[in-house]
Amino acid sequence: MSVRNPLRLLDLAGMSLLRDEASTITALKDLPTELFPPVFMEAFYGRRSETLKAMVQAWPFVRLPLGGLMKMPHLGTLQAVLDGLDILLAQKDHPRRCRLRVLDLRNTSQDFWRMWSGYRVHGCSSSLMAQVAEDRSRAEQPRAPLEVFIELHLKERTLDGFLTYLIRWVEQRKASIHLCCKKLRILSFPMENIMKVLSMVQLDCIQEVQVNCTWHLSTLAVFAPLLGQMNKVQRLLLSNIHMSALGGQEQQHVVQITSQFLRLHHLRDLHLESHSFLEGCLDQMLRCLTNPLDNLAITHCLLSDSDLNHLSQCPNISQLKGLDLSGITLTYSSPELLPVLLEKVAATLQELYLEQCGIMDSHLETILPPLSCCSQLTFFSLRGNLISMAVMGKLLRHTSGLPRLSQELYPVPQESYSSQRILQPGRLAQCRAELFEILRVLGRPRIIWISSSPCLHCGDNTFSHPQPIVYR
């Protein structure tokens, strides 16, 4: 009789230790390093508070990735770990064996527990390798305040019990604890609570910020000085910021917000979505960018000709890898602005989104020459625009020489609709056959997707999951 997945001697030893909590605590000073993670896991899932408290004080690794065990945060286990840290912090001389510098409460680092618990890990993940290198660097530095890493998703009206307890604990120990967060996401959270939480966080640790709140411009202006202190931010997403008519006070708010970009020296990805205040003010923000961007998304906003002109002249977009102008009506602008913009980014551009831009045949034809020069382009989406079969054929011919282009999303040709803008399956099948023939004549293996969704003008959503047109 065979036994599937038998327990290892290491597992049995850990389980044996935990039968007597007092003996476990006594044995910690002689416990082999490789036994610490599996014994800790057993104590964690068994909610053995005293054992957890003692193990924290003897933890032989630089990082304790507690968040990797906490699918659902349990306040009791967190309290036990923090109680252990309190005892550790109160000691003038740390135990010789303890190397703990970081308590990681993020839902990451499962590889650490798998590795030490005997599960097969097929190679080390890049994140684990980076973390090991980071921890090795920490271990070589003079002892500094303990770092506690969390992910902040502020999306409720009030703070939950877990975060409330942690914030209070950090507040009482600010001299010896640094609360760090690399990703900050704010969804419908009162500004008073935001200020309270962020007053406890090391703002210069934050690398990614997402604000997806229906805020008035004045509220964003209150938040802006905090954003300016996040000087390590690499990725910033702001959406749904609204304002009344642009008066003197509103103009002052715009200046307060855009001036903070001067402090974001590491910003690489900028995403601005559904902003009513950008029209006529985009140049103020662009002037405050201090370094070249890798990705820029300005979507579902109103932009004037002068905004697009300033965008095409901005020196910090000349190295863009990704450009998204979806939902920006480009048909009212001067016809040369979009081609000029594409010429500026043609050498580096890898992804281009022009969805729901009101683009029709005449507009598309003007961008075909610069588009055909985007030699690094891998992804192009033109969904939600009104394009004829004739111009789609020209588009396929102009892009056939792009060596890296592998994902192409195009709108259903106009000829596939009736005069009442109803999609006709028979006409669509004929258009697909004609497009396949164009691909065959061009002779290059290629996959294109034809979709009628989203379509800003006709609202049709009956063809959201199309089959690709494949030529191999």
Side-chain angles (χ1 to χ4, degrees), residues 3 18 42 113 124 150 220 274 281 337 361 382 401 410 413 419-420 423 465:
V3 179
L18 286 169
E42 290 288 341
W113 301 106
C124 292
I150 58 172
L220 182 59
S274 301
C281 300
L337 291 179
D361 286 357
L382 199 63
Y410 298 131
S419 57
Q420 290 78 34
L423 186 64
H465 306 286

Side-chain angles (χ1 to χ4, degrees), residues 173-184:
R173 297 157 183 82
K174 288 189 71 172
S176 53
I177 298 291
H178 281 176
L179 186 60
C180 302
C181 167
K182 290 192 175 181
K183 293 183 180 180
L184 170 65

Side-chain angles (χ1 to χ4, degrees), residues 4 36 48 55 71 187 195 226 336 338 433 443:
R4 299 185 65 184
F36 264 81
R48 296 177 181 267
M55 292 194 78
K71 293 182 180 178
L187 300 170
M195 302 291 280
L226 293 176
E336 73 277 1
L338 186 55

Side-chain angles (χ1 to χ4, degrees), residues 35 48 64 95 101 142 162 216 251 255 279 360-362 400 430 470:
L35 265 179
R48 296 177 181 267
L64 174 54
R101 302 287 187 90
F162 183 88
H216 192 272
Q251 180 61 48
V255 173
E279 185 178 12
M360 293 183 284
D361 286 357
S362 58
S400 65
Q430 183 178 348
V470 181

Side-chain angles (χ1 to χ4, degrees), residues 427-442:
R427 295 185 187 179
L428 175 60
Q430 183 178 348
C431 288
R432 287 173 59 87
E434 292 179 25
L435 292 171
F436 179 84
E437 181 61 20
I438 293 173
L439 296 180
R440 189 192 66 77
V441 171
L442 292 173

Side-chain angles (χ1 to χ4, degrees), residues 4-31:
R4 299 185 65 184
N5 300 323
L7 291 172
R8 302 173 304 153
L9 289 175
L10 202 63
D11 301 319
L12 293 170
M15 293 170 63
S16 177
L17 270 174
L18 286 169
R19 288 175 188 153
D20 183 348
E21 196 163 29
S23 299
T24 304
I25 294 171
T26 302
L28 287 179
K29 63 180 182 301
D30 300 315
L31 191 67

Side-chain angles (χ1 to χ4, degrees), residues 264-275:
L264 305 183
H265 300 295
H266 296 271
L267 186 64
R268 291 293 178 267
D269 296 353
L270 178 59
H271 301 252
L272 306 170
E273 181 178 8
S274 301
H275 289 311

Side-chain angles (χ1 to χ4, degrees), residues 108-112 114-115 121-133:
T108 56
S109 302
Q110 284 85 357
D111 283 352
F112 173 89
R114 293 190 189 104
M115 178 176 64
V121 179
H122 299 287
C124 292
S125 66
S126 57
S127 60
L128 181 59
M129 293 174 65
Q131 200 171 86
V132 169

